[in-house]
Amino acid sequence: MHRILSLLLIAALTACAAAPNRQTAVASPDSATTTPAAAAPEGAAPRDSREWEPTVQAWEAEDARVRRMPGAVVFVGSSSIRYWTTLSEDFPGVISINRGYGSSRAYDSVYYADRIVNAYQPRAVVFYAGENDLNEGRSPQQVRDDFAAFVQRVQAGTPKARIGFVSIKPSPSRRSILPQVVQANVLIRDYIKTVQGVDYLDVFTPMLDASGEPREELFLADRLHMNRTGYAIWIKVVGPWLAKP
């Protein structure tokens, strides 16, 4: 409990950070650069989002079938989405489109939003990214700003879609960045309060034990990716949100 209170204190101090820049432009998928938020990093220099071009092109090759599915839900983000291979079983009756790509960052989803989200005109979007960003040295504020840019891009292209941000999880292998994870989650939660059609889906809290440490039993041997028990927590959080009209 003492550790949780310490983390929350750090998060409360961070919550005073400046709000995201609503005027930030977003690079088109055809641009030679990544998003402006990624182009001027406070932390580590981001990698080029175009490294995912072959993956996105492969998805587009399959889209003739997928695009004819109205009312779909797009799951987008990093490896926690990519490895969520039981979406149709976990959310029966939901047309799920998995657009997760391992090691991706939040700004990658901004870069490809038109092609991997808006192309399907989904009724909802489940977003998980930011953990890799923090691990690579980007700041919680940058992750918040990149998610805000993602929201702007999706709402511009698919204005009726609801967006759910799955909070950044506490991975045991990344215990050293847990304070930054808490800060990013708080900043994004506060940002979400200022926009319509976006919800914060808290998986972080139930993935901690009573002492505020990541629950090892929720993860595979690499202590980064989740096992079925870990995904069960996500299902309990995301399922009721998807069930809302």
Side-chain angles (χ1 to χ4, degrees):
M1 181 59 69
H2 177 72
R3 188 178 298 277
I4 295 176
L5 292 175
S6 297
L7 292 173
L8 290 177
L9 177 60
I10 294 172
L13 294 173
T14 305
C16 296
N21 182 0
R22 303 294 182 81
Q23 301 303 317
T24 299
V26 180
S28 70
D30 297 324
S31 171
T33 61
T34 56
T35 69
E42 299 169 3
R47 303 198 305 269
D48 192 336
S49 294
R50 289 175 295 179
E51 68 180 286
W52 300 111
E53 185 64 28
T55 298
V56 174
Q57 288 184 0
W59 285 334
E60 290 175 331
E62 302 171 355
D63 280 349
R65 175 180 61 84
V66 177
R67 291 186 193 221
R68 290 197 294 268
M69 297 182 178
V73 175
V74 173
F75 289 74
V76 63
S78 57
S79 57
S80 293
I81 296 295
R82 178 189 176 191
Y83 293 135
W84 202 347
T85 59
T86 57
L87 290 174
S88 59
E89 302 168 20
D90 298 337
F91 306 111
V94 174
I95 302 170
S96 301
I97 301 175
N98 190 316
R99 289 296 175 258
Y101 38 127
S103 299
S104 67
R105 292 80 54 176
Y107 56 82
D108 294 320
S109 292
V110 182
Y111 187 86
Y112 288 110
D114 287 333
R115 296 166 65 184
I116 66 177
V117 177
N118 292 336
Y120 309 111
Q121 291 292 292
R123 69 173 179 86
V125 181
V126 176
F127 178 98
Y128 182 80
E131 184 178 355
N132 291 328
D133 310 56
L134 296 174
N135 193 57
E136 292 177 8
R138 287 176 70 74
S139 71
Q141 292 83 2
Q142 286 178 301
V143 174
R144 184 270 315 276
D145 290 348
D146 287 338
F147 177 66
F150 176 81
V151 170
Q152 292 169 7
R153 176 65 68 85
V154 172
Q155 290 187 335
T158 314
K160 294 183 179 180
R162 296 164 56 226
I163 302 171
F165 175 83
V166 178
S167 61
I168 302 173
K169 72 184 192 305
S171 300
S173 66
R174 292 175 172 174
R175 176 64 184 79
S176 62
I177 65 167
L178 194 58
Q180 290 93 326
V181 169
V182 172
Q183 293 169 20
N185 282 337
V186 169
L187 288 170
I188 292 172
R189 183 192 63 194
D190 289 346
Y191 159 71
I192 286 173
K193 293 177 182 177
T194 71
V195 291
Q196 295 183 342
V198 187
D199 294 293
Y200 181 83
L201 307 178
D202 182 18
V203 300
F204 177 88
T205 302
M207 294 184 75
L208 296 175
D209 62 22
S211 63
E213 292 292 333
R215 293 170 57 187
E216 296 273 358
E217 76 273 15
L218 304 178
F219 294 84
L220 299 173
D222 63 7
R223 304 173 71 235
L224 175 61
H225 299 102
M226 294 179 295
N227 57 30
R228 188 60 183 166
T229 306
Y231 278 112
I233 292 177
W234 287 36
I235 294 167
K236 290 180 180 179
V237 174
V238 176
W241 182 79
L242 288 177
K244 294 179 182 179

